[in-house]
Amino acid sequence: MQTSAVYDSLHPLEINLLAAFSQSGEKPVSDSSLQELSQLEPSQVSMALGWLQAKELVRIHSEVTTAWVGLTEVGHRYLADGSPPEWIIRTCRQEAQEGRSFTVKDLQGLNAFPPTELSRALGLLKKEGAIALGAGGRIEATETLSPTVEKLHVLLHELKKDRQELLSFAPDQQTLLRQYAVKRGSAQEPFRIEERIQREYIPTRTGKAVAKRCHAGSAEEVSQLTPDMLKDGSWRNKRFRKYTITLRPPRVAPGRRHPYREFLDLVKHKLVGMGFQEMRGPLVETEFWDMDALYMPQFHPARAIHDVYFVKTPTHAKTVAEPFLSQVAATHETGGTTGSSGWGYRYDTERARRLILRSQGTAVSARTLASNPLIPGKYFSMARCFRYDQVDATHATDFFQIEGIVLGEEINFRTLLGLLTIFAKEMAQAQESKFFPAYFPFTEPSVELHVRHPKLGWMELGGAGLFRPEVTQPLGVTVPVIAWGLGLDRMAMVALGIHDIRELFSVDLEKVRTLRGRFA
Amino acid sequence: MPTISFFQKDFEELLGRAAPPEQLESWLPLVKGELKDVTHATGEIRVELQDSNRPDLWSVEGIARQIRIKLQESPLAYPFLHAKAKPKRRILVAEGLDQVRPYVAACTATGYTVTEESLAQLIQVQEKLADLYGHKRKTVSVGLYRLPRIHFPVTYGLVKPTEARFTPLGFSEKLTLQEILTVHPKGMEYGSILAGQPLLPLLWDTEGQILSFPPIINSQDIGQVHAGDSDLLVEVTGTDMRMVLLTLNIFATNLADRGAVIEPVEVRYPYDTGWGKSIRTPCDISAVQKIPLKAIESALGLPIDSELVQQTLRAYGYEVKASRHTLAVRLPHYRSDLMHPVDVAEDVAISRGYDSFVPVMPAQFTVGSLSALEMMSDYIREHMVGQGFQEIFSNILLSHEELVERMRLPEDEQVVEVDNVMSQSFSCLRSWILPSLLRVETASPRAFYPHRLFEIGEVAIPDSSQELGSRTAVRLAIVIAHPHANFSEVHTCLDMLLFYLVKDYELEPLNHDSFLNGRAGTILCQGQPVGLIGEFHPEVLENWGISVPISAFELDVDWLCRDDS
């Protein structure tokens, strides 16, 4: 691993320690010196040393075991109140001055020390001749001083402040210290001897190289750059914690267009780009504009109760605009002035006013034809339509029809095919298209457009035709008119990865938030 | 648009040559047909026919016929149309039928033994014609009979519902017409066609045997054709003479194509039919029509040679004569769909093949644009997305409960309702958008919060001053849903939107049952109410099964679009 990569992986504590090593000239350093140099807590030093050894940046150079001696709580009590032998002599002398004396039992009765300690002290004093036992077991302090009591006194004072290395004491003192040190079976002792291992550490070769990069103060790690750091320039001394950038970030819900509408936006903008002007119409329509004006006879099977939604109230529009009503009626009955034979039935003007929910976008085109459209002119609408269908994977309660018209003297069957070729390229990126004879009640000739979509293969893209003169002339239009409609939902559904048309209008927010696709 | 089913072998026999499905598919544009599927094991083929004005194509016979004509490039000859001899058989129509079911036409087909397959085809055509072309038997229905059992002349007359009795198809005992209407499945299905008629139509022969009770049901013995029968009577009744004649012509032609000898029947009416009182069927029903060649040229967008166009039309079954600028054309007797020269133009194009036309790009210059309303909508959508809102796109048919009751609106609140409701869930056009957004909230408690939703779209507002009784408006609605959603948050969103739309507004306290009192307002622009804003009433949320507070507003986009706003 490169030293820079190793450096980058270091924890600030490790950097601090390596800096301490480089400060001491890469010589072996003891852990206590490391503490001093790095100003870290002993626990931090030992933690960081552990990591550095694991990374093979530092190894142990030498290991020395030393014994240290210090006072226990008992020791501190002896220091304050005297050790048991001292206490015995002091107590006995006081009693003697007042002409009294104690027996062993009396001393025990004072409860100053536990009986075992007391009896050990009595044994010691008696052995060293500092006390004598008189008649009736009375204890008498002699003039002889106990050397052990003196030595203990000295040692207690010696260790009063801090613990010391055992070896720094004289041999006899060491013996005494060991004798009065806490060990198994005798917890109540004044001294404690601890073995400590002192190690010296030295950086490895890599460690030395990395240590050169480390210097005190480089180690402060921060997670966030703050305005203050930028103001005072202190960012220069910071180390910015590295992130684990491979983790997934938390989710948010951004503001977003609806994916299906996004698709329709694209279509809309393409149509505008091709010179189409948007037209709009009402959701509630008369049968007149929805069907009669499109030369669908009133007895047409697709006009039955099971195909169209009828409005409950009011059932009928107040009027249908003239002269369109009369002209359409005449066309249905006899062909009127259109050169057609007509359907040859009795046209019902009452039925013409019947209100329905718009069943086809062509109703919007019919209204446009009747409102002095531009010639030449191109129009489109994205009309919400309603069909009386059972709702299932291929039928929604309401849906959008993208359709329109092209008016102009130049319009004929071949320009119709030309327009469809443009649609194939623009809407489906298709280089190949095929035209099939089709049937729509309001166009003749009628064409079905099939295209080879680059991903979906051959598919039906739309239907079109030239409006019958029975449609255009009663509405006041004398030039030929192309009527076209595009079926683009399948492309949208494939792009969005859905198989059910109802999902285009999903009420499931999670679905809407996650639905995505590339349309272009 | 019927879908029919037939067998490849049957089709090939009718066509007179082998025709694998791929070959058939290449011919289908001639009949506006689409190959739906092929079962190779059985040779069964399903084809959907598009043209609702060409019922002659709704059968394997019709499809094969159109292709045969194309292959031989001239119409087929049907001698029964021109038979000189007086028809041997007659149907006598009684007085009064002009008020019930005025027209009948019939012919006989002999010398062809019906097979299982051709019987299935006969029944299929009978059903498709009566159902789709004949509006579920209302305008046209067809009956097939075993000819040898019938003693002519046959009477098409009227009887009282309880007067006549016969054994209808599928039954073993005799029923009166009244009983047939109430207990026979076909009587129940089609009885409404004769509703309110004191006398009912009936066909019987000179010996009093009942043939059928049109358009309901045939008799069990005479009116049931079996495979192996070779002499048939075909009869059509209906309410439209042209359609009745056309339907009979189609049947006669189909049977003739299978090799039957067709003999006309004479029908005598006591009233005028528009085609005379005595008429021999089948017969030619189309007159010769004069079509200016120019009409075809301008429709198709190319100069057309008169010779060539005649040839093209003959190859599609027309009789054609031509002068320099005019074509005199007549449709074959099994068609009746020529209303305008453009119909001929299409047939020319189909006969030639659409692929033979070179597309021409429309060249005239036009300016593309969006409506002001759409541009405003797009601007607002972009703004709301910028404010961090998810756009919602809803179906706009909702239930009355969702639009009114759940919103705590008075029960008589006006909405545009559907009369022929299919499902209560989709019985009303939405009159405002907020219920659509609450529908999303109800369905989405598991989507992480906050929810910031908007929808811009159409609503229908009942308005008796309008021609249509309602007007279509565009509205924007937003909802904010999270545990601390409140008025101030949604107010800020409104404030920002209207700031960037350069609209001044005020809020006026509003008592609206959908919202918490004291936390709702009317949005006023230039003193005009253009929307409302508030925190939803807890009961509204409860009604929708929503357990998080929601604040919302709804705004009239049409108003924002107005020039003077």
Side-chain angles (χ1 to χ4, degrees):
Chain A
M1 215 184 339
Q2 295 215 321
T3 52
S4 62
V6 176
Y7 177 83
D8 287 345
S9 77
L10 294 180
H11 189 273
L13 291 176
E14 296 175 296
I15 292 178
N16 244 319
L17 274 197
L18 287 176
F21 276 110
S22 63
Q23 246 178 294
S24 42
E26 292 167 6
K27 298 221 163 47
V29 192
S30 70
D31 40 12
S32 51
S33 314
L34 282 172
Q35 264 180 52
E36 244 168 71
L37 289 165
S38 67
Q39 298 290 306
L40 295 175
E41 295 294 311
S43 61
Q44 292 178 314
V45 171
S46 88
M47 200 156 61
L49 278 171
W51 296 337
L52 288 170
Q53 288 176 75
K55 291 178 185 172
E56 296 183 357
L57 297 174
V58 163
R59 61 182 172 79
I60 294 168
H61 179 256
S62 65
E63 216 171 63
V64 180
T65 309
T66 45
W68 289 71
V69 63
L71 293 185
T72 63
E73 266 181 48
V74 174
H76 284 289
R77 209 168 66 230
Y78 285 4
L79 198 61
D81 304 336
S83 60
E86 281 182 297
W87 177 77
I88 292 168
I89 288 171
R90 199 167 67 227
T91 311
C92 290
R93 286 202 176 131
Q94 279 166 9
E95 290 298 303
Q97 276 171 12
E98 290 167 28
R100 291 193 300 258
S101 62
F102 277 120
T103 63
V104 172
K105 219 173 188 173
D106 293 335
L107 279 176
Q108 282 174 343
L110 291 173
N111 278 331
F113 295 96
T116 48
E117 272 184 65
L118 213 52
S119 56
R120 183 170 72 166
L122 285 165
L124 174 83
L125 290 171
K126 213 169 129 189
K127 187 179 159 196
E128 290 184 344
I131 55 167
L133 289 178
R138 290 177 194 286
I139 303 166
E140 283 170 24
T142 65
E143 289 308 309
T144 316
L145 289 174
S146 159
T148 304
V149 170
E150 293 309 312
K151 280 181 202 165
L152 277 176
H153 188 79
V154 170
L155 286 173
L156 284 169
H157 278 276
E158 194 87 352
L159 291 167
K160 185 179 173 181
K161 278 196 176 153
D162 212 350
R163 50 188 179 176
Q164 292 178 30
E165 221 176 308
L166 187 62
L167 290 176
S168 65
F169 291 94
D172 59 329
Q173 286 180 313
Q174 288 184 36
T175 313
L176 197 65
L177 284 165
R178 285 189 201 282
Q179 206 182 328
Y180 283 87
V182 172
K183 12 182 154 28
R184 189 173 291 181
S186 57
Q188 300 291 320
E189 297 290 355
F191 306 111
R192 174 180 286 117
I193 294 169
E194 281 175 323
E195 305 239 301
R196 289 179 64 196
I197 303 167
Q198 179 142 19
R199 295 189 180 93
E200 283 187 319
Y201 297 88
I202 190 160
T204 61
R205 248 181 83 191
T206 324
K208 282 174 189 165
V210 175
K212 283 185 188 141
R213 304 173 63 103
C214 303
H215 48 84
S218 69
E220 193 189 342
E221 190 195 59
V222 289
S223 57
Q224 179 67 53
L225 178 64
T226 64
D228 285 342
M229 291 176 200
L230 288 167
K231 267 183 217 151
D232 62 16
S234 62
W235 61 268
R236 289 188 170 78
N237 297 323
K238 311 288 188 215
R239 186 165 170 270
F240 295 93
R241 186 162 61 80
K242 301 232 165 186
Y243 298 145
T244 312
I245 57 161
T246 49
L247 294 179
R248 286 271 173 180
R251 264 185 77 191
V252 294
R256 190 171 170 251
R257 281 187 288 168
H258 190 280
Y260 179 43
R261 199 135 186 208
E262 206 172 353
F263 172 77
L264 294 178
D265 283 345
L266 184 78
V267 172
K268 185 168 87 182
H269 289 130
K270 283 191 171 178
L271 287 168
V272 171
M274 286 182 244
F276 285 89
Q277 185 174 329
E278 194 205 1
M279 51 184 179
R280 301 180 77 102
L283 294 170
V284 173
E285 257 301 2
T286 51
E287 286 203 30
F288 179 83
W289 290 112
D290 199 85
M291 292 176 280
D292 297 354
L294 296 168
Y295 199 55
M296 290 173 72
Q298 291 178 321
F299 59 79
H300 194 280
R303 300 184 57 161
I305 190 93
H306 294 301
D307 296 284
V308 178
Y309 279 118
F310 292 92
V311 173
K312 194 172 188 178
T313 178
T315 53
H316 289 79
K318 291 179 182 170
T319 52
V320 169
E322 288 289 8
F324 306 117
L325 179 62
S326 310
Q327 289 171 10
V328 167
T331 306
H332 277 236
E333 288 184 348
T334 62
T337 56
T338 63
S340 169
S341 63
W343 284 109
Y345 73 105
R346 187 79 175 275
Y347 182 83
D348 180 357
T349 52
E350 180 80 0
R351 178 93 192 259
R353 291 190 295 116
R354 183 72 175 98
L355 290 173
I356 57 170
L357 304 191
R358 178 171 59 207
S359 74
Q360 50 186 352
T362 321
V364 185
S365 295
R367 281 184 176 271
T368 300
L369 289 180
S371 13
N372 284 319
L374 294 172
I375 294 170
K378 295 200 198 101
Y379 295 87
F380 80 98
S381 75
M382 289 189 175
R384 180 93 66 160
C385 298
F386 306 83
R387 291 273 169 89
Y388 193 87
D389 276 323
Q390 284 293 348
V391 172
D392 60 27
T394 53
H395 299 90
T397 60
D398 50 82
F399 53 95
F400 282 84
Q401 276 193 343
I402 300 162
E403 58 84 56
I405 50 178
V406 181
L407 309 93
E409 295 291 351
E410 65 169 352
I411 295 308
N412 56 46
F413 185 63
R414 290 173 68 203
T415 45
L416 165 66
L417 300 185
L419 178 76
L420 295 181
T421 310
I422 298 173
F423 279 154
K425 286 183 186 148
E426 291 301 315
M427 297 298 175
Q429 300 83 51
Q431 296 305 316
E432 281 179 79
S433 45
K434 277 188 194 163
F435 308 112
F436 291 100
Y439 175 77
F440 307 106
F442 39 82
T443 54
E444 194 85 7
S446 306
V447 189
E448 205 171 78
L449 169 64
H450 290 234
V451 302
R452 176 128 92 190
H453 187 276
K455 288 191 196 121
L456 309 178
W458 282 104
M459 59 176 279
E460 187 182 336
L461 190 69
L466 301 179
F467 262 138
R468 299 186 68 96
E470 293 97 322
V471 175
T472 53
Q473 288 179 22
L475 301 180
V477 172
T478 51
V479 296
V481 180
I482 290 172
W484 56 266
L486 293 171
L488 304 177
D489 281 353
R490 190 168 156 242
M491 267 160 46
M493 286 168 71
V494 169
L496 293 171
I498 60 178
H499 307 286
D500 186 326
I501 196 164
R502 288 168 292 189
E503 289 185 24
L504 291 177
F505 304 96
S506 179
V507 292
D508 179 345
L509 180 56
E510 178 63 18
K511 177 139 252 160
V512 175
R513 278 173 169 173
T514 52
L515 212 55
R516 68 206 162 128
R518 270 194 52 202
F519 299 119
Chain B
M1 292 202 285
T3 297
I4 64 161
S5 145
F6 54 85
F7 288 94
Q8 183 187 336
K9 191 163 163 289
D10 193 28
F11 171 70
E12 288 174 335
E13 274 168 20
L14 285 160
L15 191 65
R17 59 182 274 184
E22 313 77 66
Q23 178 75 70
L24 167 64
E25 193 169 16
S26 73
W27 284 323
L28 285 180
L30 287 171
V31 297
K32 294 187 189 174
E34 187 189 337
L35 191 62
K36 299 307 272 187
D37 54 56
V38 178
T39 311
H40 288 281
T42 58
E44 189 177 359
I45 293 169
R46 285 174 67 245
V47 171
E48 183 179 351
L49 286 315
Q50 281 201 23
D51 197 331
S52 56
N53 287 342
R54 289 285 307 271
D56 61 299
L57 296 174
W58 302 352
S59 60
V60 63
E61 295 91 343
I63 293 172
R65 182 185 314 128
Q66 190 71 66
I67 297 167
R68 269 164 74 202
I69 294 168
K70 177 70 187 170
L71 294 175
Q72 73 174 38
E73 297 192 332
S74 64
L76 301 171
Y78 290 96
F80 60 82
L81 293 170
H82 315 291
K84 291 272 172 359
K86 194 173 161 57
K88 286 185 278 187
R89 302 180 180 91
R90 275 179 297 156
I91 292 181
L92 307 172
V93 181
E95 289 281 358
L97 269 159
D98 51 343
Q99 302 303 315
V100 183
R101 192 170 181 84
Y103 309 112
V104 61
C107 69
T108 62
T110 54
Y112 166 72
T113 306
V114 174
T115 63
E116 292 287 348
E117 174 52 19
S118 64
L119 181 61
Q121 291 299 326
L122 274 176
I123 291 170
Q124 179 170 268
V125 184
Q126 182 185 15
E127 284 173 358
K128 300 288 179 193
L129 285 178
D131 195 37
L132 295 169
Y133 184 66
H135 307 105
K136 300 193 186 344
R137 300 192 187 178
K138 191 170 156 228
T139 34
V140 172
S141 64
V142 184
L144 298 172
Y145 310 88
R146 306 162 89 173
L147 181 63
R149 302 282 300 273
I150 303 168
H151 303 274
F152 285 83
V154 165
T155 303
Y156 179 45
L158 287 169
V159 294
K160 288 184 186 147
T162 49
E163 198 175 32
R165 287 158 58 87
F166 70 100
T167 309
L169 272 179
F171 273 60
S172 51
E173 73 267 29
K174 288 189 171 184
L175 300 178
T176 65
L177 303 192
Q178 184 68 56
E179 285 164 340
I180 288 172
L181 289 176
T182 48
V183 305
H184 197 281
K186 299 291 177 192
M188 292 188 278
E189 191 176 348
Y190 299 107
S192 62
I193 296 170
L194 298 170
Q197 295 290 355
L199 297 175
L200 300 174
L202 196 69
L203 279 162
W204 65 87
D205 75 358
T206 188
E207 299 207 337
Q209 297 184 99
I210 291 171
L211 278 68
S212 71
F213 169 24
I216 312 294
I217 191 77
N218 276 14
S219 81
Q220 170 78 12
D221 45 359
I222 305 178
Q224 180 165 317
V225 175
H226 300 273
D229 288 343
S230 54
D231 300 315
L232 309 180
L233 173 72
V234 182
E235 154 275 320
V236 180
T237 60
T239 56
D240 181 294
M241 186 61 164
R242 174 177 286 274
M243 289 169 76
V244 166
L245 293 174
L246 177 71
T247 304
L248 183 76
N249 285 356
I250 290 171
F251 257 90
T253 314
N254 284 0
L255 283 161
D257 285 352
R258 287 192 179 275
V261 174
I262 304 298
E263 282 183 84
V265 169
E266 185 185 355
V267 186
R268 287 190 184 169
Y269 291 89
Y271 44 84
D272 186 40
T273 62
W275 299 68
K277 283 190 173 182
S278 171
I279 175 163
R280 196 169 87 165
T281 61
C283 58
D284 261 322
I285 53 173
S286 295
V288 172
Q289 294 198 44
K290 298 222 163 131
I291 311 283
L293 202 55
K294 209 162 165 13
I296 294 173
E297 287 184 330
S298 62
L300 297 183
L302 75 181
I304 292 195
D305 176 75
S306 165
E307 266 311 306
L308 193 67
V309 82
Q310 290 181 57
Q311 219 177 309
T312 310
L313 282 172
R314 281 192 197 106
Y316 203 62
Y318 279 72
E319 270 176 44
V320 197
K321 284 183 190 144
S323 62
R324 235 172 82 207
H325 301 294
T326 311
L327 294 172
V329 301
R330 181 150 83 162
L331 285 179
H333 61 282
Y334 47 83
R335 284 183 61 179
S336 174
D337 57 315
L338 202 175
M339 287 187 271
H340 193 278
V342 293
D343 295 303
V344 181
E346 184 183 75
D347 283 343
V348 171
I350 292 174
S351 184
R352 275 184 53 155
Y354 278 13
D355 289 342
S356 70
F357 289 83
V358 179
V360 173
M361 298 302 149
Q364 286 181 329
F365 181 79
T366 57
V367 176
S369 64
L370 294 177
S371 65
L373 199 51
E374 189 69 10
M375 281 196 285
M376 174 59 84
S377 299
D378 283 351
Y379 180 87
I380 292 172
R381 289 169 61 212
E382 190 184 316
H383 177 90
M384 293 317 300
V385 166
Q387 283 207 38
F389 281 77
Q390 168 69 54
E391 184 176 27
I392 296 297
F393 205 22
S394 301
N395 282 125
I396 65 172
L397 279 182
L398 280 80
S399 69
H400 195 270
E401 190 204 338
E402 288 169 316
L403 287 171
V404 178
E405 283 86 353
R406 285 195 198 176
M407 303 306 290
R408 298 178 86 230
L409 298 183
E411 220 175 283
D412 57 357
E413 175 79 10
Q414 290 289 299
V415 293
V416 174
E417 283 183 68
V418 167
D419 197 12
N420 52 333
V421 172
M422 170 173 282
S423 154
Q424 288 300 334
S425 314
F426 321 119
S427 58
C428 302
L429 270 183
R430 70 179 176 191
S431 51
W432 54 330
I433 294 189
L434 283 172
S436 292
L437 295 181
L438 290 183
R439 237 160 59 113
V440 174
E441 280 305 316
T442 298
S444 309
R446 274 182 218 88
F448 65 89
Y449 290 93
H451 295 174
R452 293 160 73 83
L453 314 179
F454 82 97
E455 177 163 5
I456 191 160
E458 287 174 320
V459 300
I461 298 159
D463 182 343
S464 55
S465 71
Q466 300 280 320
E467 288 284 304
L468 299 171
S470 64
R471 64 192 163 83
T472 300
V474 174
R475 294 273 190 84
L476 163 73
I478 80 161
V479 297
I480 298 175
H482 61 81
H484 308 290
N486 59 27
F487 186 88
S488 140
E489 192 179 355
V490 78
H491 191 185
T492 301
C493 297
L494 174 71
D495 196 69
M496 281 299 96
L497 172 67
L498 292 178
F499 175 79
Y500 287 108
L501 287 173
V502 200
K503 304 285 178 201
D504 291 327
Y505 77 100
E506 290 167 357
L507 294 189
E508 186 180 83
L510 168 71
N511 280 334
H512 189 293
D513 287 337
S514 297
F515 299 99
L516 271 175
N517 200 6
R519 299 186 181 189
T522 304
I523 304 165
L524 297 173
C525 283
Q526 295 174 9
Q528 289 284 313
V530 297
L532 42 76
I533 181 169
E535 286 181 22
F536 274 120
H537 194 283
E539 200 175 282
V540 168
L541 299 177
E542 229 171 62
N543 292 343
W544 282 92
I546 295 169
S547 48
V548 64
I550 298 181
S551 52
F553 74 70
E554 180 152 341
L555 195 60
D556 186 354
V557 177
D558 294 81
W559 194 88
L560 296 173
C561 264
R562 274 166 47 177
D563 293 338
D564 56 345
S565 74

